[in-house]
Amino acid sequence: MKKSISGVTIELRQGDIANQGDCEAVVNAANAQLETGGGVAGAIHTAAGPELTSEARSMAPIKPGEAVITKAYNLPNQYVIHCLGPVYGQDKPEDRLLANCYSNALKLAEEKQISSIAFPAISTGIFGYPVEDAAKVAFTKFIESISSLKHLKNIIFVLYSEKDLNIHKRVLEQIL
Ligand code: ADP
């Protein structure tokens, strides 16, 4: 599913965030120590290799809502933007902290003049954020940011499961 708003495309696709060859940057649903782990962080660190882990480690720790950027090493991208999402029920206010992840990632992408970026559904795995609520936060932030984007033309949301893809499709239709 693809929607175009003021010259910026928001695309939803099912897939693996570590295998998005058509994007300049991919976003990692990181942990505070910027180390490998389960889910997205495990997939990204494994595919990128140990040099990513060592560059990222030098920037740790980060706080919920923050984002940092590294090279992408063996991934088919140029950059990885590492975002620490809130742990649901623990890091509050969750919606504000999750929105900060998206706005900080977009800000870093613009600074590097990146034209395409792929996001996973930050915080919706191990961190327990309800998928539908998280999708509302993400898409609201994208739409709010679109008028300030100069370089970014393609924002891709990569969902691991068909179920999550369908939830995101529904939420995007509702918000637009
Ligand atoms: P968090 O700790 O921020 O919750 P997770 O990595 O546990 O991050 O999960 C975030 C979301 O990404 C979940 O919806 C999960 O199903 C999904 N996910 C897990 N692995 C991948 C992957 N390789 N590519 C894309 N999405 C993934």
Side-chain angles (χ1 to χ4, degrees):
M1 174 183 175
K2 262 192 200 181
K3 295 275 178 191
S4 193
I5 311 155
S6 312
V8 178
T9 302
I10 298 181
E11 179 182 341
L12 310 184
R13 59 168 79 143
Q14 191 179 353
D16 178 355
I17 193 74
N19 187 23
Q20 301 298 319
D22 60 349
C23 302
E24 270 182 84
V26 287
V27 173
N28 181 16
N31 49 65
Q33 297 306 323
L34 300 171
E35 283 170 350
T36 187
V40 169
I44 284 186
H45 280 264
T46 301
E51 286 173 305
L52 174 83
T53 310
S54 97
E55 185 184 352
R57 198 185 294 124
S58 70
M59 298 175 183
I62 62 168
K63 297 193 192 78
E66 290 181 348
V68 294
I69 189 163
T70 65
K71 289 184 276 185
Y73 300 96
N74 297 332
L75 282 164
N77 317 98
Q78 288 179 40
Y79 297 102
V80 179
I81 296 177
H82 306 258
C83 293
L84 178 62
V87 175
Y88 198 76
Q90 180 184 304
D91 299 319
K92 295 187 178 188
E94 289 106 340
D95 55 351
R96 173 90 61 82
L97 293 171
L98 186 60
N100 288 349
C101 285
Y102 288 102
S103 54
N104 285 325
L106 293 175
K107 203 168 141 201
L108 286 173
E110 281 289 320
E111 281 170 18
K112 295 282 185 194
Q113 309 194 352
I114 287 166
S115 65
S116 53
I117 187 167
F119 286 90
I122 298 170
S123 282
T124 65
I126 297 156
F127 286 1
Y129 210 120
V131 174
E132 183 164 349
D133 295 346
K136 280 183 193 152
V137 171
F139 297 149
T140 304
K141 180 51 74 180
F142 289 159
I143 289 160
E144 197 184 293
S145 307
I146 273 175
S147 61
S148 65
L149 301 178
K150 291 191 177 63
H151 303 282
L152 264 174
K153 295 290 170 221
N154 296 303
I155 298 173
I156 297 154
F157 226 73
V158 180
L159 291 318
Y160 211 37
S161 68
E162 193 179 358
K163 181 169 173 250
D164 287 352
L165 176 66
N166 288 332
I167 294 171
H168 281 75
K169 281 183 181 169
R170 184 159 39 81
V171 171
L172 187 58
E173 295 283 6
Q174 279 166 5
I175 284 183
L176 287 178

